[in-house]
Amino acid sequence: MSLTLSDFHLFRDYLEKQSGILLGDNKQYLVSSRLKKILEQERIQSLSELVRRMQANPRGALHTQVIDAMTTNETLWFRDTYPYEVMKNRVLPELVAKYPNQRLRIWSAACSSGQEPYSLAMILDEYERTAFGQLRAGVQIIATELSSTMLEASKQGEYDALAIARGLSPERLQRYFDKVGTGGRWKIKDFIKQKVEFRQINLLESYSALGKFDVVFCRNVLIYFSAEVKKDILRRIHATLKPGGYLFLGASEALNGLPELYTMVQCNPGIIYQAK
């Protein structure tokens, strides 16, 4: 495949329009490595040819393959640890006291291969074990993802030994997973899987139909967007949060601006944001 600078810019602009992801000028190697197999299989010689074919059939298999390849990112269980401890020890008790007879709703946005929403489901189970009966109205976790491939993998809830090793303790592995065959694969137990509902959502499009949430996890995804797109997403996330609801961002992400919408909450360690 030939990779000229003009072709790279053409593909970069198209990708940003479709997914919001903004590639820097130094990401040509990433495009080459992630798309090499697809281009070889489809006998496509250049990125400009690829863009033309994607534009011609925006709902086709090729379009889906390319977007999946460029939006798939590695993730792990209980990433950064502190958000889940803050959820269990601070946010959940506060919400239960505030809404004792209402079902709590949590949104895991851009959930990748499912580790984040399943980690949240495990935290909820651990909280219920120590605060028996307090979640009597129930909790709904909605997990959304742009990539249809990742969404299907998440629904299956089955992981290989490498994925399992990334952030999961032996105790949680034994409690929440069943071993599958002899190939080192593990599957989420049904009682955890049933706590999560998966839906396909593009963060660039409307998600008002998801309803209102008490907590939104949108972690380690906004770093891929331009400042303008990031601010737009944060405004629309605010519209989905109940007054006083909480937003969790990634450890390397910050809410610059929008003081009229969010209040910063120091958790020591970590920072979360509360909707005004």
Side-chain angles (χ1 to χ4, degrees), residues 38-39 42 44 49-55 57-68:
I38 296 173
L39 296 175
E42 298 295 326
I44 296 173
E49 181 186 346
L50 174 65
V51 171
R52 284 195 299 271
R53 288 180 56 173
M54 292 173 70
Q55 289 173 326
N57 189 7
R59 296 189 180 275
L62 176 62
H63 194 282
T64 300
Q65 280 183 290
V66 172
I67 297 299
D68 281 357

Side-chain angles (χ1 to χ4, degrees), residues 31-124:
V31 173
S32 297
S33 61
R34 292 199 173 189
L35 298 184
K36 181 180 179 182
K37 186 176 179 180
I38 296 173
L39 296 175
E40 288 176 349
Q41 288 175 341
E42 298 295 326
R43 298 182 180 178
I44 296 173
Q45 301 300 314
S46 66
L47 285 181
S48 57
E49 181 186 346
L50 174 65
V51 171
R52 284 195 299 271
R53 288 180 56 173
M54 292 173 70
Q55 289 173 326
N57 189 7
R59 296 189 180 275
L62 176 62
H63 194 282
T64 300
Q65 280 183 290
V66 172
I67 297 299
D68 281 357
M70 294 307 304
T71 57
T72 299
N73 298 293
E74 289 189 357
T75 187
L76 59 155
W77 306 97
F78 301 93
R79 186 166 184 173
D80 300 319
T81 307
Y82 78 83
Y84 301 94
E85 294 303 312
V86 170
M87 269 293 293
K88 183 165 61 174
N89 300 322
R90 176 171 181 163
V91 172
L92 283 174
E94 179 185 314
L95 291 174
V96 166
K98 188 176 182 180
Y99 305 112
N101 299 309
Q102 291 184 29
R103 180 180 65 167
L104 301 181
R105 302 189 74 234
I106 301 171
W107 177 18
S108 170
C111 69
S112 190
S113 47
Q115 281 90 332
E116 180 177 275
Y118 286 137
S119 294
L120 286 168
M122 294 179 218
I123 285 294
L124 287 170

Side-chain angles (χ1 to χ4, degrees), residues 68 71-72 108 110-114 117-118 142-157 159 196-202:
D68 281 357
T71 57
T72 299
S108 170
C111 69
S112 190
S113 47
Y118 286 137
I142 302 292
T144 65
E145 171 59 37
L146 171 61
S147 166
S148 56
T149 302
M150 287 292 100
L151 208 57
E152 287 306 310
S154 297
K155 289 177 182 178
Q156 291 300 314
Y159 301 89
V196 184
E197 178 184 337
F198 291 96
R199 302 184 192 179
Q200 187 169 22
I201 291 287
N202 187 337

